[in-house]
Amino acid sequence: MSDYFCHNTCIFIDGCLLTDLHLLLLEFSENPLVATQGFWKMAEQNKQQPSFAKIDQLRPGAIGLNLTVKVVSSKMIMTRGRNGTQGRNMRLAECLVGDETGIIVFTARNDQVDAMKEGSTVILRNAKIDMYKGSMRLAVDKWGRVEVTEPAAFSVKEDSNLSLIEFELITVEE
């Protein structure tokens, strides 16, 4: 096989756009068509379905959480205009969200506030647990997503509020 690998090369084989990395893989394969099909098949096999957690499974410092929750209440905390070139307003709301295992405070920021209407069901993707004054708060940063979905069939267990549990960080010296 000839050496056709060069920087910023793109070619089409069998309707697929191949870049430098793909061409390098092809160079070490005896059958280029099988290599391209194998590459795409391998990429498709590595996809995983997200696993969803329940409120009672949440722990301090948890990241990468996916949850389906109902909004119990939503309270606007602050609206503030930003100075500078962005010209956007910062909105912050504390929402009580829950599922059939418990409830927790969710801190909604900016566009997330619009999705957090009382009684709506939302999917929180790539959420994390932030600690605020020793208690857990659920949050979704810029790498996550808040999606409104169809109403869920479960009823919220409101007597188990994880945000009321106070945690204390202690260091252990050996």
Side-chain angles (χ1 to χ4, degrees), residues 14 16 26 31-44:
D14 198 29
C16 296
L26 289 176
N31 186 346
L33 183 58
V34 171
T36 57
Q37 290 172 346
F39 177 79
W40 294 115
K41 187 174 184 180
M42 182 177 68
E44 289 174 4

Side-chain angles (χ1 to χ4, degrees), residues 20-145:
D20 292 344
L21 175 62
H22 303 115
L23 293 174
L24 183 62
L25 291 172
L26 289 176
E27 190 169 335
F28 295 104
S29 173
E30 293 184 19
N31 186 346
L33 183 58
V34 171
T36 57
Q37 290 172 346
F39 177 79
W40 294 115
K41 187 174 184 180
M42 182 177 68
E44 289 174 4
Q45 288 175 350
N46 288 339
K47 292 181 183 176
Q48 293 181 4
Q49 292 296 323
S51 60
F52 283 81
K54 297 291 183 186
I55 297 290
D56 66 347
Q57 298 171 337
L58 302 180
R59 300 290 178 257
I63 58 172
L65 302 167
N66 297 310
L67 298 108
T68 301
V69 294
K70 283 186 181 179
V71 181
V72 176
S73 66
S74 181
K75 181 174 114 183
M76 183 67 76
I77 298 299
M78 69 179 213
T79 303
R80 179 176 46 183
R82 289 187 179 167
N83 296 331
T85 59
Q86 291 180 347
R88 291 182 44 184
N89 288 334
M90 182 175 155
R91 297 184 296 160
L92 195 64
E94 283 187 348
C95 310
L96 204 53
V97 299
D99 61 15
E100 64 270 12
T101 63
I103 58 176
I104 191 167
V105 173
F106 173 75
T107 306
R109 291 177 173 83
N110 300 325
D111 295 338
Q112 297 171 357
V113 174
D114 299 330
M116 304 305 286
K117 303 291 182 211
E118 190 171 324
S120 65
T121 302
V122 294
I123 296 176
L124 306 176
R125 297 193 186 274
N126 201 21
K128 63 179 182 172
I129 296 293
D130 288 332
M131 298 303 290
Y132 178 74
K133 294 183 179 178
S135 66
M136 293 193 300
R137 301 284 176 104
L138 193 59
V140 174
D141 60 12
K142 66 181 179 179
W143 305 110
R145 183 181 294 176

